[in-house]
Amino acid sequence: MIALVDCNNFYASCERVFQPQLENRPIVVLSNNDGCVIARSNEAKSLGIKMGAPAFKMKSLFDRHKVHIFSSNFALYGDLSKRVMQILNEGSPAIEVYSIDEAFLDLKGVMKLNQFSIDLRTRVGKWTGIPVSIGVAPTKTLAKVANRIAKKYRKDGVFLMKKNTTINHVLRHTSVSDLWGIGRQYARFLSKNGFETAFDLVNANESWIKRNMSVNGLRMVKELKGIPCYAIEHQPPRKKNICTSRSFGMDVVTYEELMEAIASYASTCALKLRKQKSLAASILVFIKTNPFKNSQNQYNPYQKVILDVPLNDSMEITKQALMALKKIYKKGFSYKKAGVIVGDIVPDSSKQLSLFNNKDPFKTRDVMYAIDHINEKMGRNKVRLAVQGFDRKWRLKQEKLSPCYTTRFKDVLQVKI
């Protein structure tokens, strides 16, 4: 049996952990630069606030219903996510962290599945303050369906789908649009062909499914039938591309400001490569003007660099990224967004040396290790390349950012006796 553990309204729940007075109050969390709604509490959903809604268009509704608004605090959310996943890891035979707020658990050998899930949910809530829902079923796809039932209809936040009669009953009342892996286009396509519920798909001709929905569609249908096609991945798959991009808090005009941003993004990409023990063989740099301003004056170029040898060295990746930026930068434009993508990723164990490069790769590796160790211990970017800048006027606009309660000493809550 497989369990899917999903944190309820995760970003909003993180804000409530340290501000319990917000319980039962409408909360929204905004995207980069406080642009759009990316998370809502149940109370905010009931007000009709939609995901992706521009914040400035919702201002009157926010004011009228006293909605509590927060800038995205990914440092806080990431730390609380790690704490939740650690508890799940300690309390289950095996775990696959699927996203920042979801994890699959392999419950093979667990006897009392329902009680185990209730106890695990209670432990997570007690130790972190984050409410979770748990769906248990024979396959990952069915566990997703079970989790939806647990979140919407179960007071104890747990739902077990083990018996065929229970599974068939739930599938008859589950729309195809609510299935894992079914997007809007597929949902419309299936509806046109007479498939309205998950139970309709289970009884479909498998050759038709494979022909019209590819192998992945067939696997999903088999999973709905209780045939496991997706095993628990104990190690997260290596990313094929890593992107770091941000919209600026203000329009950027000068090359120097763009250079600082690209250097910061390139350095972050290199750090992510080292964390997953990978190397990148290509770097792509892009810059974009504001699409909502003067459509006649748009400029959205990109430049790709192929490296001689794959690497994860912050200094070299930043150097190559800045060379690419120099080729595409043009004066006279106001830039709103920029980013760096590293690709053609390979394991660092397969690193090859260049015949024409005299740089000692082991010294570079040791320098990067030392920098990472210091930053991990003392705080992000405590040691960084000078070209990344110090003023950073272009950085994100986060006017409603909550304190980093668990990752910054000055933000730790104080108890007055």
Side-chain angles (χ1 to χ4, degrees):
M1 298 292 284
I2 292 175
L4 175 65
V5 182
D6 186 9
C7 301
N8 301 341
N9 306 318
F10 182 56
Y11 291 173
S13 295
C14 289
E15 299 293 351
R16 278 181 173 152
V17 169
F18 299 96
Q19 300 185 63
Q21 72 274 16
L22 299 180
E23 198 67 39
N24 301 319
R25 305 283 182 86
I27 297 173
V28 297
V29 178
L30 304 180
S31 62
N32 292 336
N33 289 310
D34 298 342
C36 301
V37 175
I38 60 169
R40 308 158 293 164
S41 66
N42 288 333
E43 296 78 11
K45 293 175 185 177
S46 66
L47 295 175
I49 300 172
K50 303 295 184 183
M51 279 288 281
F56 73 93
K57 288 186 178 181
M58 308 296 292
K59 189 177 185 305
S60 60
L61 188 149
F62 291 164
D63 293 340
R64 187 164 63 251
H65 295 281
K66 297 181 179 179
V67 177
H68 296 267
I69 307 165
F70 292 94
S71 302
S72 47
N73 189 342
F74 293 120
L76 176 65
Y77 308 153
D79 185 64
L80 286 177
S81 172
K82 287 179 182 177
R83 294 174 186 226
V84 171
M85 298 307 167
Q86 184 176 357
I87 295 168
L88 297 179
N89 187 36
E90 293 172 352
S92 60
I95 182 174
E96 175 191 334
V97 178
Y98 183 66
S99 67
I100 192 171
D101 61 346
E102 290 180 288
F104 288 105
L105 307 181
D106 186 350
L107 300 187
K108 184 178 181 180
V110 176
M111 301 301 294
K112 299 179 180 178
L113 292 168
N114 197 67
Q115 190 59 49
F116 172 87
S117 301
I118 292 173
D119 292 344
L120 185 61
R121 181 177 185 270
T122 302
R123 194 180 312 135
V124 172
K126 185 176 182 181
W127 291 2
T128 68
I130 302 295
V132 300
S133 300
I134 303 178
V136 183
T139 68
K140 280 185 173 182
T141 304
L142 286 174
K144 274 274 190 179
V145 174
N147 185 274
R148 182 173 173 273
I149 302 297
K151 183 174 292 188
K152 288 195 168 188
Y153 305 109
R154 301 286 294 191
K155 288 185 178 180
D156 60 4
V158 172
F159 186 64
L160 173 62
M161 288 201 322
K162 188 175 182 181
K163 297 179 180 179
N164 288 333
T165 52
T166 305
I167 293 173
N168 290 334
H169 176 76
V170 170
L171 294 183
R172 282 191 176 94
H173 293 85
T174 301
S175 170
V176 291
S177 61
D178 292 325
L179 291 175
W180 186 31
I182 298 292
R184 291 181 182 177
Q185 290 185 343
Y186 261 137
R188 285 195 294 266
F189 171 76
L190 290 170
S191 181
K192 287 180 181 178
N193 285 275
F195 300 101
E196 299 293 341
T197 68
F199 191 75
D200 294 335
L201 274 181
V202 168
N203 291 282
N205 183 285
E206 289 191 357
S207 61
W208 186 92
I209 294 292
K210 185 176 181 180
R211 186 168 61 253
N212 291 277
M213 297 181 66
S214 75
V215 175
N216 287 330
L218 181 59
R219 287 173 179 167
M220 179 197 67
V221 171
K222 285 183 177 293
E223 289 243 324
L224 290 174
K225 293 179 179 180
I227 304 170
C229 295
Y230 300 105
I232 296 290
E233 296 181 357
H234 302 288
Q235 293 293 331
R238 194 181 303 275
K239 293 181 180 179
K240 296 180 180 179
N241 295 288
I242 293 176
C243 175
T244 301
S245 66
R246 297 285 186 276
S247 295
F248 301 130
M250 52 178 277
D251 284 351
V252 170
V253 178
T254 68
Y255 174 75
E256 287 71 22
E257 288 175 321
L258 265 183
M259 183 175 66
E260 286 185 4
I262 291 297
S264 296
Y265 302 158
S267 183
T268 300
C269 284
L271 174 60
K272 291 178 180 179
L273 283 170
R274 294 194 294 274
K275 282 187 174 180
Q276 72 167 34
K277 300 186 185 310
S278 297
L279 308 168
S282 67
I283 304 170
L284 186 143
V285 174
F286 65 87
I287 50 178
K288 293 183 177 183
T289 51
N290 192 336
F292 301 105
K293 283 187 179 180
N294 191 358
S295 59
Q296 300 298 320
N297 195 30
Q298 296 294 312
Y299 181 56
N300 305 304
Y302 67 89
Q303 179 71 37
K304 187 173 184 178
V305 178
I306 304 298
L307 303 173
D308 293 333
V309 293
L311 47 82
N312 57 20
D313 173 8
S314 291
M315 293 179 286
E316 189 61 31
I317 288 179
T318 300
K319 175 183 174 183
Q320 295 293 335
L322 292 179
M323 289 172 64
L325 172 65
K326 200 168 186 177
K327 291 181 181 179
I328 59 177
Y329 172 76
K330 282 186 179 180
K331 290 183 179 180
F333 291 97
S334 295
Y335 297 98
K336 188 60 179 177
K337 186 175 183 179
V340 176
I341 303 173
V342 293
D344 300 311
I345 293 176
V346 297
D348 61 3
S349 58
S350 62
K351 182 172 184 177
Q352 293 182 340
L353 303 181
S354 171
L355 183 64
F356 306 102
N357 189 346
N358 294 325
K359 185 185 261 187
D360 187 341
F362 300 106
K363 285 186 178 180
T364 303
R365 180 199 61 190
D366 292 343
V367 170
M368 291 297 104
Y369 173 80
I371 291 175
D372 292 345
H373 181 70
I374 293 171
N375 287 336
E376 185 175 343
K377 190 174 182 179
M378 305 302 295
R380 186 179 178 185
N381 282 329
K382 282 293 185 271
V383 178
R384 62 179 183 266
L385 303 177
V387 72
Q388 292 178 238
F390 299 92
D391 189 14
R392 298 188 173 195
K393 294 179 181 179
W394 45 268
R395 64 186 173 186
L396 292 176
K397 180 175 69 176
Q398 294 177 303
E399 295 177 348
K400 300 182 182 297
L401 185 67
S402 56
C404 295
Y405 298 103
T406 63
T407 60
R408 188 182 296 155
F409 275 116
K410 71 175 184 178
D411 291 343
V412 173
L413 290 177
Q414 296 182 7
V415 179
K416 295 182 179 180
I417 301 176

